[in-house]
Amino acid sequence: MYIIKQLRRKNNISQSQLGKEIGVSLRTIQLYERKDANIPIKNLTKIAEYFGLTIAELYMHEVNDMGEAYTKRQPFTKHGSVFYPLEHGKYLVMAPLILVEWQKKYIENLRKDNFSNPFQGGFIIDFLTEEPHRIFEVSGDSMNDSSAESIPNKAYVLGLEIKKELLTRNETLWHQSYILVCADRIICKQLTGYNKEKKTLQCHNLNTSPEFQDFELLLEEVLQVFKIEKKQF
């Protein structure tokens, strides 16, 4: 992001100094200062806070190659998320972030039909949808097999909510990764099928370690389903 370079120079801070402040290398800061840098939420938050800004403000002040601010439309709110129009039809979505320690509270609020969440995270998306977005912190390494599809412990994933009934009749949704909000927990799994007789979802772990066994989950135990669209480590 060019705005990081501008803020750093304005405050007379070297790349090495900024890297030390947020706990990354000089090379990482150099990569972050590129136009289309993919910066993890936790580090982007640290950078924003270091300069006294929010993540949204960083994106709203992003500049182009000539040092001119992009012309953007006004942000808008939808399904609890704030969308900031960027260039080339992209959007920054600031969505509710459900951290591991907040999962039980999220489920409690969901049961009470009283959604409230004190945390937000940001992802760049390519298009708008009618379905709600949520960001989840993943717990455990059951989906970590070191492949391109891997989702390691403490990763952040952007989920797009879908109706769970779709999983009972749409085979194109199989063999993809999901966040499943259940009555007693929130899990990240790949879904491989639906057993009509048992009314269960077939849950698959990418990690082949013996401690991570595939299992079936009753559909009625699932409160929400989010198809994972993007992830950050």
Side-chain angles (χ1 to χ4, degrees):
M1 298 179 69
Y2 291 130
I3 186 61
I4 296 176
K5 180 186 291 185
Q6 280 202 341
L7 289 169
R8 180 177 57 75
R9 289 179 172 176
K10 182 179 180 181
N11 289 274
N12 295 316
I13 300 169
S14 69
Q15 291 177 325
S16 297
Q17 287 176 304
L18 181 57
K20 185 176 181 180
E21 289 292 336
I22 68 170
V24 299
S25 67
L26 167 63
R27 176 57 178 162
T28 298
I29 292 298
Q30 291 173 339
L31 293 174
Y32 285 178
E33 291 186 352
R34 293 181 178 179
K35 178 181 177 182
D36 297 318
N38 181 22
I39 307 175
I41 292 176
K42 60 180 181 180
N43 289 344
L44 193 58
T45 300
K46 290 179 181 179
I47 293 172
E49 290 178 347
Y50 181 78
F51 291 113
L53 301 170
T54 64
I55 293 177
E57 287 172 332
L58 276 182
Y59 277 101
M60 291 301 289
H61 290 86
E62 175 63 318
V63 295
N64 60 22
D65 300 304
M66 302 300 293
E68 301 168 334
Y70 291 132
T71 300
K72 305 179 180 71
R73 291 173 289 160
Q74 290 297 311
F76 57 92
T77 302
K78 189 176 183 180
H79 297 306
S81 299
V82 182
F83 294 84
Y84 295 84
L86 305 176
E87 64 169 4
H88 305 309
K90 297 181 183 293
Y91 294 83
L92 165 67
V93 54
M94 297 298 297
L97 168 62
I98 294 85
L99 299 171
V100 171
E101 58 267 29
W102 192 256
Q103 290 182 357
K104 288 185 178 180
K105 187 66 176 179
Y106 177 81
I107 295 172
E108 289 177 9
N109 290 341
L110 195 62
R111 286 182 171 280
K112 297 176 183 177
D113 197 25
N114 178 30
F115 178 76
S116 63
N117 194 77
F119 310 105
Q120 277 194 325
F123 274 86
I124 301 296
I125 59 175
D126 299 320
F127 53 87
L128 294 176
T129 63
E130 292 300 320
E131 297 77 15
H133 289 85
R134 297 289 182 267
I135 300 173
F136 294 88
E137 180 185 19
V138 174
S139 176
D141 275 317
S142 65
M143 291 291 286
N144 185 7
D145 65 348
S146 300
S147 69
E149 297 181 354
S150 180
I151 304 175
N153 183 43
K154 297 298 182 181
Y156 294 96
V157 296
L158 176 67
L160 186 65
E161 186 174 9
I162 66 171
K163 294 181 179 179
K164 66 179 184 179
E165 289 75 21
L166 290 176
L167 298 173
T168 67
R169 57 180 183 270
N170 191 342
E171 295 183 0
T172 63
L173 296 174
W174 301 135
H175 302 288
Q176 299 183 58
S177 296
Y178 294 86
I179 290 292
L180 304 174
V181 180
C182 305
D184 60 346
R185 55 184 170 155
I186 296 178
I187 57 177
C188 177
K189 300 297 171 190
Q190 188 178 86
L191 297 180
T192 58
Y194 176 71
N195 188 315
K196 293 183 179 180
E197 293 183 359
K198 296 182 179 180
K199 296 183 179 179
T200 57
L201 295 170
Q202 297 170 353
C203 301
H204 173 63
N205 296 300
L206 294 181
N207 193 328
T208 57
S209 175
E211 64 183 293
F212 301 116
Q213 298 292 319
D214 293 352
F215 60 93
E216 293 188 355
L217 178 67
L218 284 170
L219 185 64
E220 64 180 20
E221 294 183 4
V222 179
L223 304 178
Q224 287 182 317
V225 177
F226 292 87
K227 182 177 178 293
I228 294 177
E229 298 291 320
K230 293 196 172 186
K231 56 188 177 182
Q232 291 184 355
F233 305 151

